């Protein structure tokens, strides 16, 4: 018997804006999606995949590699098979449909990374509704790598905040962030130096803003590791954030523990 249902909010973005005009290829990271989802299911919960438009997220080709599974070919193959075949990954729903059905049925919410959430989820009104619901009820809310940028969607003027960041107007962005539910929370996100690696070697272009800067301007208490791509997970109240792809297993463990604590307290 299931312990409860957990929302996994995926992105539908496949391109991200870059400086100088144009876009670069993007998507959701395979390990960041699958490792936590498999851990949640193994712990006895159901996973319900939701996206803004109700279609399955595109996996970023940069993440489709055994390297993101510690070189473990068997783990990589299991992840690929899980994403391709498991019912939880192949019955995506719209965010709007689960909102209309009622969010009280869900025990927690998880948002994986890849740069895709920077495009849609951080300014998506339905993502904001979901995150506000979980925040107000102090239900486990976990976000990984670029995923933590999705918490911006909870602010009253998320789209204007993002537009101000793209315009390079930090003061205007800070003004638009007023009333943000997560101001003052300790959190982490993909670091500026980690982002430079992706910009230099994968995107071959620069993004308009870094995740650390964005969440700091919004009012978050952001910290990252001194060494790039070292696992790092920060838990503050209901919010659990992981810094980078290598934080996949640690954030999965902390998220499951938080779900179990919440279930025991209910």
């Amino acid at each position: 018997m299931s312990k409860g249902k957990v929302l996994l909010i995926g992105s539908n973005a496949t391109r991200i804006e870059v400086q100088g005009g144009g876009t670069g290829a993007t998507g959701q990271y395979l390990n960041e999606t699958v490792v936590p989802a498999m851990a949640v299911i193994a712990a006895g919960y159901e996973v319900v995949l939701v996206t803004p438009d109700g279609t399955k997220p595109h996996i970023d080709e940069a993440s489709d590699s055994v390297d993101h599974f510690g070189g473990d070919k068997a783990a990589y193959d299991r992840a690929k098979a899980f994403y391709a075949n498991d019912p939880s990954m192949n019955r995506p729903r719209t965010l709007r449909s689960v909102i209309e059905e009622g969010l009280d049925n869900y025990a927690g919410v998880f948002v994986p990374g890849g740069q895709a959430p920077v495009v849609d989820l951080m300014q998506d009104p339905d993502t904001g509704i979901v995150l506000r619901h979980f925040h107000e009820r102090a239900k486990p809310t976990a976000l990984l790598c670029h995923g933590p940028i999705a918490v911006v969607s909870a602010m009253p003027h998320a789209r204007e905040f993002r537009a101000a960041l793209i315009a390079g107007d930090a003061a205007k962005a800070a003004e638009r962030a007023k009333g943000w539910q997560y101001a003052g929370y300790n959190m982490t996100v993909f670091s500026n130096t980690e982002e430079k690696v992706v910009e230099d070697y994968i995107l071959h272009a620069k993004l308009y803003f870094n995740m650390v800067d964005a969440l700091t301007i919004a009012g978050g208490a952001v910290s990252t590791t001194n060494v790039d791509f070292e696992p790092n997970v920060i838990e503050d109240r209901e919010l659990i954030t992981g810094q980078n792809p290598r934080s996949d297993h640690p954030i999965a463990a902390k998220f499951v523990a938080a779900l179990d604590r919440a279930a025991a307290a209910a």
Side-chain angles (χ1 to χ4, degrees), residues 119-138:
V119 181
D120 55 0
L121 298 186
M122 78 175 287
Q123 59 179 338
D124 178 64
D126 288 339
T127 301
I129 290 170
V130 171
L131 291 175
R132 286 193 296 273
H133 174 94
F134 283 87
H135 168 74
E136 288 160 6
R137 290 156 183 80

Side-chain angles (χ1 to χ4, degrees), residues 29-112:
Y29 262 44
L30 177 65
N31 68 302
E32 296 177 22
T33 305
V34 167
V35 168
M38 291 175 76
V40 166
I41 291 169
Y45 297 89
E46 295 176 60
V47 169
V48 178
L49 175 62
V50 291
T51 63
D53 72 11
T55 62
K56 190 173 178 178
H58 167 71
I59 294 298
D60 192 327
E61 291 180 9
S63 75
D64 190 359
S65 165
V66 70
D67 293 343
H68 286 289
F69 296 85
D72 185 337
K73 179 71 161 50
Y76 168 67
D77 289 343
R78 283 195 300 272
K80 289 273 285 184
F82 177 85
Y83 194 71
N85 303 317
D86 195 85
S88 68
M89 298 290 100
N90 289 282
R91 296 172 183 164
R93 299 180 56 184
T94 62
L95 280 153
R96 174 50 41 185
S97 72
V98 297
I99 291 167
E100 290 175 351
E101 188 177 85
L103 296 169
D104 287 332
N105 297 323
Y106 294 92
V109 59
F110 176 74
V111 183

Side-chain angles (χ1 to χ4, degrees), residues 122-209:
M122 78 175 287
Q123 59 179 338
D124 178 64
D126 288 339
T127 301
I129 290 170
V130 171
L131 291 175
R132 286 193 296 273
H133 174 94
F134 283 87
H135 168 74
E136 288 160 6
R137 290 156 183 80
K139 288 185 175 183
T141 301
L143 311 98
L144 177 59
C145 196
H146 289 79
I149 202 67
V151 293
V152 163
S153 67
M155 67 177 60
H157 301 287
R159 287 182 176 173
E160 294 88 345
F161 175 81
R162 185 178 187 275
L165 290 175
I166 288 175
D169 192 337
K172 188 172 183 180
E175 181 67 27
R176 292 301 190 184
K178 285 183 178 176
W180 189 43
Q181 291 77 359
Y182 299 98
Y185 272 66
N186 295 306
M187 60 183 71
T188 191
V189 71
F190 203 59
S191 74
N192 292 357
T193 50
E194 289 167 341
E195 197 75 79
K196 190 173 188 308
V197 173
V198 174
E199 290 173 334
D200 289 351
Y201 296 101
I202 297 174
L203 267 185
H204 305 292
K206 280 190 66 63
L207 299 181
Y208 279 100
F209 58 88

